[in-house]
Structures are given as C-alpha cells and as structure tokens.
Amino acid sequence: MAEIEVRPFAEGDADDVLSLILPIQREEFGIDITADAQPDLRVIPDFYQSGKGQFWVAVEDGAIVGTVGLKDIGNNQAALRKMFVAAEVRGREHGVAALLLDRLLVHSRDAGLTDIFLGTTDKFVAAHRFYEKNGFAEIAKSALPRAFPLMAVDSKFYRYMVG
C-alpha cells in the first residue's frame, strides 16, 4: 500500500478534486448535483483557504484520493465541508478519512477555533458513524449558527467542540 500524504490544496488540484467528488455524489450515492451547484469547488482558495479555514487533499501515488474543507464562518467557528474519500481507499485499514480529519482538527486547535459544524445527507450512513466515533454530536438544524453555509441536500447536522 502506497503512503498517503495529506497536504493543503494547491491551484493545480481543482480538476482532480472535482473528478473525485462528483462521481461519489452522483454515481455512488445518487445525489442529483452538478459542479455548477457547488461553486465553492471552483474557488477553493477564496472560499476555504481564507481566515481560519483550509482545504486539504489526500494524495496516493500522485492521485487525489480524499478531500476535506474547513470554512471559516466567523466567531471562532467553522464548517467542515467536502469530506470525500475514493471508494478504493475507504475504511479503517487505509485510514484516509482519519488522516484528513486529524489534520483538520489539529489545524482547528492551532487556529483557536471553538466549534466545527457540519451538514450531511441521510444517505452517508458510514460517514455518520465515522463522525460520531470521532467526537461529533448530532444537533438540530435550529442549533446551527446563523453563518453556517447550508446546502440544499443537508438533512443531518453535527457539532464538534474543539478543545
């Protein structure tokens, strides 16, 4: 198994990020969404890599196999977005999701964030288990901060208290 490197998104990664995320959303989970419906993926440096935010990619043998974004929403709070891992490197034995989340949590502590919120769909059941196992607590939509960037497909919400 090749070594997985987690690093910040770089300008040349944009097409590879879309090529990873769209098929997972559309083909694997049947979510009717397009690249145009996710304009944040066209402007990752501006949208995610500003304030206390960041966007990371997991790379194996030169190919992007995972992503996670942290969007600064103000008030020392952030939104976890776009956590996707290629099917062939999913699971505990590969550890890609854990590496991505660990990098995000270390950055969050170092940046002085107090809370991380996320929204997901009912379809991502394995993701729900992963988040819950890693300290995220399910919350009501009404408990989200006003600045949280809601996605139309989000139906389940979580909060992680950094500290």
Side-chain angles (χ1 to χ4, degrees):
M1 185 166 72
E3 180 109 1
I4 304 288
E5 175 201 1
V6 175
R7 62 166 173 78
F9 172 89
E11 202 57 54
D13 295 334
D15 289 342
D16 292 338
V17 165
L18 274 172
S19 295
L20 172 74
I21 293 176
L22 278 176
I24 293 172
Q25 292 172 320
R26 297 171 61 82
E27 294 153 31
E28 207 176 323
F29 290 95
I31 297 169
D32 187 20
I33 194 164
T34 63
D36 290 343
Q38 304 173 82
D40 56 315
L41 292 176
R42 300 260 185 231
V43 291
I44 287 173
D46 295 333
F47 192 83
Y48 291 102
Q49 295 176 307
S50 62
K52 295 181 178 185
Q54 185 54 273
F55 195 98
W56 296 270
V57 294
V59 181
E60 181 184 48
D61 289 331
I64 291 178
V65 295
T67 63
V68 67
L70 187 68
K71 169 71 175 158
D72 185 338
I73 60 172
N75 201 29
N76 289 322
Q77 297 177 323
L80 185 157
R81 302 273 298 269
K82 305 301 182 194
M83 184 157 200
F84 289 96
V85 175
E88 63 272 13
V89 294
R90 268 188 218 142
R92 192 175 299 129
E93 65 275 16
H94 297 284
V96 176
L99 286 170
L100 286 163
L101 183 63
D102 184 61
R103 181 65 58 91
L104 181 142
L105 294 178
V106 167
H107 172 88
S108 298
R109 281 190 283 277
D110 291 348
L113 292 172
T114 57
D115 302 281
I116 301 168
F117 296 91
L118 71 92
T120 185
T121 81
D122 290 334
K123 296 181 182 194
F124 295 162
V125 177
H128 304 160
R129 283 195 305 269
F130 174 78
Y131 292 129
E132 290 163 8
K133 198 172 65 193
N134 284 283
F136 284 79
E138 188 171 355
I139 60 170
K141 183 178 181 179
S142 60
L144 292 169
R146 197 173 273 149
F148 182 82
L150 266 176
M151 296 280 295
V153 296
D154 290 344
S155 54
K156 199 168 172 81
F157 304 93
Y158 289 91
R159 176 186 187 189
Y160 180 92
M161 295 168 75
V162 182

